[in-house]
């Protein structure tokens, strides 16, 4: 019996996994059909000629040094969505490690938060003969056409962090983003005793993540804490926009006592503004502004320790890399997964017809780890947090 490719533990050992069945007449000695072999040889020749003829700058870098699609390990294309935040840089760092542990070869690109770049990068992957694609589309509506193209070519797709609004994917690897908004709401609502004003620095509303976090936070506040006024500020995940809008809001409403940042992209600017306004005071001071962030990057954990931030949702960058590649390799191997609980603390749910989502755990992290609104929390220095791994 072969061991699971991850060295730490067997993360999906408890799942029921089905195989793709072929008739004996269709199989070769390695399990591939003769048609598959002819296809592989054709694709390999095309890729070889294409690489010889042209070099595409910034796209298709082989990060593992492996044998590519013509060898014993599958070739997978991974598009990094951006590299301007600590969270995504942490994810980028984890992907090659997960690729080595799983035994997959990687071609990587970076779409830099531009869906046109993502589409172009994915078309490059197709021309390079990848057997699967992992992506994190930031504009979850505009990605449908390229998903259709990949589906037509039987190239499985796993999206991490975000879920496309339309189109088929093999698996979505994501945390429950509505829970992010609810946890942030309950933390701020409890700390403010149900009264006061809070600012919500929204992400991009063209993303399912921005919509989920915004809707859940707003609904929770309306139902559970009607005495709190919420100022929603659209930022499109841009730090400079977030800082400018927070500055304006604090000028008009200096009695704001809570801030919900939907991502750590707004962290630096928020702390700088509060420092300028002399609002970085202990929680016991009536002028303290309670801050909840999202991501769980090392800087946030240090800020919680130092009393500059009160809480953050630890979004699992390491597990996004790990399970994104795990599921795309499983798809290439012909495996399937049913909805239900997993043995790694998550639940696979069917979000719409033909689309499954593995909703990974994402705990709220605080200074003392004490429960808030009856919900368990994690202390900032807990070694299980990926932000404490380095």
């Amino acid at each position: 019996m072969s061991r699971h490719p991850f060295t730490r533990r067997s993360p999906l050992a408890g799942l029921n996994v089905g195989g793709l069945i072929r008739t004996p007449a269709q199989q070769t000695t390695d399990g591939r059909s003769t048609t598959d072999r002819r296809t592989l040889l054709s694709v390999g020749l095309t890729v070889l000629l294409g690489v010889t003829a042209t070099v595409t700058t910034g796209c298709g870098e082989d990060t593992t040094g492996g044998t590519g699609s013509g060898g014993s390990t599958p070739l997978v294309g991974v598009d990094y969505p951006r590299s301007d935040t600590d969270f995504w840089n942490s994810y980028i760092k984890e992907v090659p490690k997960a690729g080595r542990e799983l035994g997959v070869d990687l071609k990587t690109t970076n779409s830099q938060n531009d869906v046109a770049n993502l589409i172009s990068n994915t078309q490059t992957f197709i021309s390079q003969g990848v057997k699967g694609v992992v992506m994190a589309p930031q504009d979850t509506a505009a990605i449908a056409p390229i998903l259709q193209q990949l589906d037509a070519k039987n190239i499985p797709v796993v999206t991490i962090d975000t879920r496309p609004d339309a189109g088929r994917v093999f698996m979505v690897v994501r945390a429950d983003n509505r829970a992010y908004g609810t946890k942030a709401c309950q933390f701020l609502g409890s700390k403010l005793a149900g009264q006061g004003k809070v600012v919500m620095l929204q992400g991009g509303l063209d993303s399912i993540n921005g919509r989920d976090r915004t809707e859940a936070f707003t609904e929770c506040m309306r139902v559970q804490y009607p005495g709190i006024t919420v100022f929603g500020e659209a930022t499109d995940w841009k730090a400079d926009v977030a800082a400018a809008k927070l500055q304006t809001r604090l000028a008009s409403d200096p009695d704001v006592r809570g801030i919900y940042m939907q991502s750590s992209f707004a962290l630096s600017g928020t702390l700088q503004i509060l420092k300028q306004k002399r609002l970085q005071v202990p929680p016991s001071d009536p002028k303290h502004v309670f801050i909840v962030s999202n991501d769980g990057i090392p800087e946030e954990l240090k800020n919680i320790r130092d009393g500059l931030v009160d809480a953050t949702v630890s979004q699992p960058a390491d597990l996004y890399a790990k399970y994104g590649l795990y599921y795309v390799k499983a798809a290439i191997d012909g495996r399937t997964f049913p909805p239900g609980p997993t043995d790694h603390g998550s639940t696979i749910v069917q979000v719409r017809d033909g689309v499954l989502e593995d909703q990974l755990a994402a705990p709220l992290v605080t200074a003392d780890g004490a429960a808030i609104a009856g919900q368990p929390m994690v202390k900032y220095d807990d070694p299980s947090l990926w932000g404490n791994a380095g």
Side-chain angles (χ1 to χ4, degrees), residues 92-390:
I92 290 170
K93 181 180 177 181
E94 292 290 332
V95 167
K97 184 191 307 181
R100 288 191 296 270
E101 291 176 341
L102 271 167
V104 298
D105 288 347
L106 303 179
K107 294 287 186 180
T108 64
T109 57
N110 193 320
S111 52
Q112 299 293 355
N113 201 28
D114 187 324
V115 70
N117 288 341
L118 174 55
I119 292 170
S120 176
N121 292 344
T122 304
Q123 289 170 338
T124 298
F125 287 152
I126 294 172
S127 72
Q128 292 170 330
V130 300
K131 297 305 176 186
V133 173
V134 178
M135 63 171 68
Q138 303 295 282
D139 184 335
T140 54
I143 199 63
I146 194 65
L147 293 180
Q148 293 174 352
Q149 186 176 348
L150 289 163
D151 187 42
K153 294 180 178 295
N154 294 316
I155 299 174
V157 177
V158 172
T159 66
I160 59 96
D161 180 59
T162 64
R163 181 177 70 237
D165 297 350
R168 289 181 53 186
V169 296
F170 178 78
M171 185 71 73
V172 177
V173 177
R174 183 172 179 254
D176 183 350
N177 277 243
R178 291 191 65 86
Y180 291 6
T182 300
K183 290 176 181 180
C185 160
Q186 291 174 336
F187 180 86
L188 290 176
S190 297
K191 293 299 184 182
L192 273 62
Q195 299 293 323
K197 299 176 180 179
V198 302
V199 175
M200 173 173 54
L201 298 175
Q202 301 166 321
L205 297 182
D206 58 353
S207 162
I208 185 67
N209 288 358
R211 295 195 299 272
D212 275 358
R213 297 174 199 183
T214 295
E215 291 169 4
F217 184 84
T218 302
E219 178 69 8
C220 170
M221 282 293 183
R222 184 184 67 81
V223 173
Q224 298 186 31
Y225 307 101
I228 293 179
T229 299
V230 177
F231 299 110
E233 305 288 356
T235 71
D236 196 30
W237 307 113
K238 294 179 180 177
D240 57 340
V241 175
K245 290 196 173 183
L246 179 59
Q247 183 93 8
T248 300
R249 178 56 62 186
L250 290 177
S252 63
D253 294 88
D255 54 343
V256 163
R257 290 296 172 262
I259 297 174
Y260 171 37
M261 301 183 299
Q262 290 189 1
S263 168
S264 59
F265 75 96
L267 180 64
S268 178
T270 295
L271 294 182
Q272 183 177 6
I273 289 170
L274 293 182
K275 184 177 181 180
Q276 291 172 352
K277 293 184 174 296
R278 299 182 179 179
L279 292 174
Q280 285 186 336
V281 294
S284 57
D285 192 310
K287 293 190 299 182
H288 180 77
V289 179
F290 289 92
I291 300 174
V292 182
S293 186
N294 269 164
D295 281 344
I297 61 173
E299 189 66 20
E300 287 174 319
L301 302 184
K302 293 175 183 177
N303 287 334
I304 292 174
R305 179 198 65 192
D306 297 339
L308 300 176
V309 171
D310 299 279
T312 188
V313 176
S314 179
Q315 188 169 218
D318 57 338
L319 298 186
Y320 283 174
K322 177 177 179 177
Y323 290 110
L325 288 175
Y326 178 85
Y327 282 119
V328 80
K329 185 173 187 290
I332 294 168
D333 292 342
R335 297 178 176 179
T336 59
F337 299 88
T342 73
D343 69 347
H344 52 275
S346 66
T347 302
I348 297 177
V349 299
Q350 182 168 323
V351 293
R352 63 174 182 268
D353 187 33
V355 177
L356 298 175
E357 180 171 298
D358 187 356
Q359 295 186 337
L360 302 176
L364 189 69
V365 181
T366 62
D368 58 9
I372 299 290
Q375 299 299 316
M377 306 293 151
V378 174
K379 192 176 179 183
Y380 73 92
D381 59 356
D382 191 305
S384 69
L385 297 171
W386 70 268
N388 287 326

